[in-house]
Amino acid sequence: MKIALWIFLFFATFGFMEFMAWFTHKYVMHGFLWSLHKDHHKKDHDSWFERNDAFFIFYAVVSMTLFFLGNYTSFWYGWPLGFGILAYGIAYFLVHDIFIHQRFKLFRNANNWYAKGVRRAHKMHHKHLGKEDGECFGMLLVPFKYFKSQQTTPK
């Protein structure tokens, strides 16, 4: 029973992190911490790193704290919660930083309906250079309209 609960907590945490990414992006990054996020919309430096990368550090610290609690206290839930956050962070890095923004030149030829929809939604988000009037703040789950408008050709 404990393994089933562990697996459930892992996947529930991963799913909840999509909501947290949306909420943090909309209300924190495009809100009171815009000063850390704005270089992601309009690069104003020559560094490969962005001030925006600080948000990764925040969630990494939360994940590591949960691992610590899971290991050194009776709060065993810390393990599946920490791994759920870590797994989402890895997915975010792969999809957002590598696939969409090409910070590493990988996954350039991903051309399926999901990849196109996610890329299109993120492009619409980045058309706004300021913190106001943004749209599409999610990362893995984006509005259906970005998938619906794709033209598919039969093979």
Side-chain angles (χ1 to χ4, degrees), residues 66-76:
L66 289 165
F67 290 144
F68 178 86
L69 291 172
N71 199 47
Y72 293 108
T73 71
S74 61
F75 187 70
W76 68 266

Side-chain angles (χ1 to χ4, degrees), residues 131-149:
K131 74 179 196 175
E132 293 84 17
D133 302 322
E135 62 183 285
C136 197
F137 293 93
M139 198 266 301
L140 295 176
L141 299 175
V142 298
F144 185 67
K145 67 182 181 180
Y146 298 109
F147 301 108
K148 193 168 62 173
S149 64

Side-chain angles (χ1 to χ4, degrees), residues 62-119:
V62 172
S63 182
M64 289 186 294
T65 300
L66 289 165
F67 290 144
F68 178 86
L69 291 172
N71 199 47
Y72 293 108
T73 71
S74 61
F75 187 70
W76 68 266
Y77 302 98
W79 285 107
L81 298 175
F83 274 115
I85 294 170
L86 173 63
Y88 187 83
I90 291 168
Y92 190 97
F93 181 73
L94 290 172
V95 172
H96 182 264
D97 287 310
I98 294 178
F99 171 66
I100 293 173
H101 287 289
Q102 289 290 299
R103 286 177 87 175
F104 298 98
K105 305 303 179 199
L106 301 169
F107 308 128
R108 288 180 159 185
N109 299 323
N111 209 18
N112 63 58
W113 67 272
Y114 178 76
K116 287 179 181 179
V118 168
R119 188 178 278 146

Side-chain angles (χ1 to χ4, degrees), residues 3-93:
I3 189 71
L5 182 56
W6 200 103
I7 292 169
F8 171 78
L9 288 172
F10 169 80
F11 283 110
T13 302
F14 184 93
F16 181 71
M17 286 305 296
E18 175 66 11
F19 166 76
M20 284 303 299
W22 172 86
F23 182 87
T24 303
H25 193 181
K26 184 169 183 161
Y27 295 108
V28 177
M29 294 178 183
H30 282 256
F32 67 96
L33 287 180
W34 174 250
S35 60
L36 292 178
H37 185 63
K38 68 182 173 184
D39 70 335
H40 181 65
H41 283 262
K42 187 174 182 183
K43 193 165 180 164
D44 61 357
H45 54 79
D46 293 328
S47 175
W48 184 83
F49 290 101
E50 300 174 347
R51 290 180 296 275
N52 184 64
D53 294 334
F55 294 104
F56 279 116
I57 296 169
F58 171 78
Y59 284 110
V61 168
V62 172
S63 182
M64 289 186 294
T65 300
L66 289 165
F67 290 144
F68 178 86
L69 291 172
N71 199 47
Y72 293 108
T73 71
S74 61
F75 187 70
W76 68 266
Y77 302 98
W79 285 107
L81 298 175
F83 274 115
I85 294 170
L86 173 63
Y88 187 83
I90 291 168
Y92 190 97
F93 181 73

